[in-house]
Amino acid sequence: DSGVTQTPKHLITATGQRVTLRCSPRSGDLSVYWYQQSLDQGLQFLIQYYNGEERAKGNILERFSAQQFPDLHSELNLSSLELGDSALYFCASSVRDRGNTEAFFGQGTRLTVV
Amino acid sequence: AQTVTQSQPEMSVQEAETVTLSCTYDTSENNYYLFWYKQPPSRQMILVIRQEAYKQQNATENRFSVNFQKAAKSFSLKISDSQLGDTAMYFCAFMKPFTGNQFYFGTGTSLTVIP
């Protein structure tokens, strides 16, 4: 158990809908990262938050947004969903915003858009 | 931009044998970390081994070891005495600790251990 909790584990929704994925980082970790893993692909970095502030952006679509709350949990919001958004979404956490030498991954949320 | 390439989409190995998974990467950075992650059917991303670029000595963790060739930008994973529980997707990843802490992942190698 990595200590990173993601909910829900599975989500099925229709095209055009909006969903929210939730991540609770390890106790003491201030950074949260979101990754997308599409079929037969490696994980693609979406966005990083540190202590409530956005720190880095990767290949995140404009239809997607995220935030980190004062209790350090993070939510990834996906809107106007398309079939191609079906993927595993991973959250990872680490202690600092820079200088980390590892990160801890949650078990992921499998999103299926039908 | 950083890229990580895993050129072996699928591999198989007999139980108790040794297998090597390949990974190459491209970067202009000098200070970075390289990782191998295992993703079993449970989908959990499990850290297998980590290598610091400034260390010449290859990292080892029990049956897992790496061959890190910095000049060639190569980072292969050797699994000795393969076990059925080693069956999984293996991802090579690159991370720059001081200029953006995100991982850059390869596309993975699916390893099957045959009894």
Side-chain angles (χ1 to χ4, degrees), chain A residues 2 9-10 33 35 37 40-43 45 56 88 90 97-103 105-108 110, chain B residues 33 35 37 39 42-45 47 50 89 91 95-108:
Chain A
S2 67
K9 285 189 170 52
H10 302 275
Y33 310 79
Y35 291 86
Q37 184 182 22
D40 296 331
Q41 296 290 319
L43 281 71
F45 169 68
L88 269 170
F90 282 98
D97 64 337
R98 295 287 186 270
N100 298 296
T101 58
E102 61 185 335
F105 285 85
Q107 288 198 310
R110 181 176 292 281
Chain B
Y33 286 75
F35 303 79
Y37 276 90
Q39 188 179 41
S42 68
R43 308 177 322 191
Q44 180 72 45
M45 293 292 286
L47 177 63
R50 177 179 60 202
M89 281 290 288
F91 291 98
M95 189 257 281
K96 301 177 295 179
F98 296 105
T99 53
N101 237 158
Q102 64 267 32
F103 287 93
Y104 298 88
F105 284 89
T107 51

Side-chain angles (χ1 to χ4, degrees), chain A residues 44-63:
Chain A
Q44 298 287 324
F45 169 68
L46 296 178
I47 197 164
Q48 177 199 4
Y49 275 81
Y50 173 76
N51 205 21
E53 295 186 359
E54 182 184 303
R55 272 290 192 258
K57 257 185 177 179
N59 299 321
I60 187 166
L61 299 173
E62 286 191 10
R63 300 183 286 108

Side-chain angles (χ1 to χ4, degrees), chain B residues 58-101:
Chain B
N58 289 323
T60 63
E61 286 288 342
N62 301 313
R63 299 182 294 107
F64 299 88
S65 61
V66 299
N67 183 3
F68 173 48
Q69 303 287 331
K70 189 173 184 180
K73 296 180 181 174
S74 170
F75 182 61
S76 60
L77 174 70
K78 185 172 82 172
I79 305 174
S80 304
D81 185 25
S82 296
Q83 300 175 0
L84 297 179
D86 295 334
T87 293
M89 281 290 288
Y90 287 82
F91 291 98
C92 177
F94 169 99
M95 189 257 281
K96 301 177 295 179
F98 296 105
T99 53
N101 237 158

Side-chain angles (χ1 to χ4, degrees), chain B residues 3-37:
Chain B
T3 58
V4 179
T5 302
Q6 294 178 250
S7 58
Q8 306 153 313
E10 296 181 358
M11 293 191 72
S12 61
V13 62
Q14 290 290 136
E15 193 175 7
E17 297 295 309
T18 296
V19 64
T20 298
L21 309 184
S22 300
C23 173
T24 58
Y25 60 94
D26 186 25
T27 184
S28 58
E29 300 281 335
N30 200 41
N31 182 13
Y32 53 89
Y33 286 75
L34 294 163
F35 303 79
W36 279 97
Y37 276 90

Side-chain angles (χ1 to χ4, degrees), chain A residues 41-92:
Chain A
Q41 296 290 319
L43 281 71
Q44 298 287 324
F45 169 68
L46 296 178
I47 197 164
Q48 177 199 4
Y49 275 81
Y50 173 76
N51 205 21
E53 295 186 359
E54 182 184 303
R55 272 290 192 258
K57 257 185 177 179
N59 299 321
I60 187 166
L61 299 173
E62 286 191 10
R63 300 183 286 108
F64 296 0
S65 64
Q67 54 185 327
Q68 187 179 27
F69 295 86
D71 67 353
L72 301 177
H73 90 271
S74 178
E75 294 180 355
L76 179 67
N77 301 296
L78 315 176
S79 61
S80 303
L81 285 167
E82 302 174 359
L83 295 178
D85 297 328
S86 294
L88 269 170
Y89 291 85
F90 282 98
C91 166

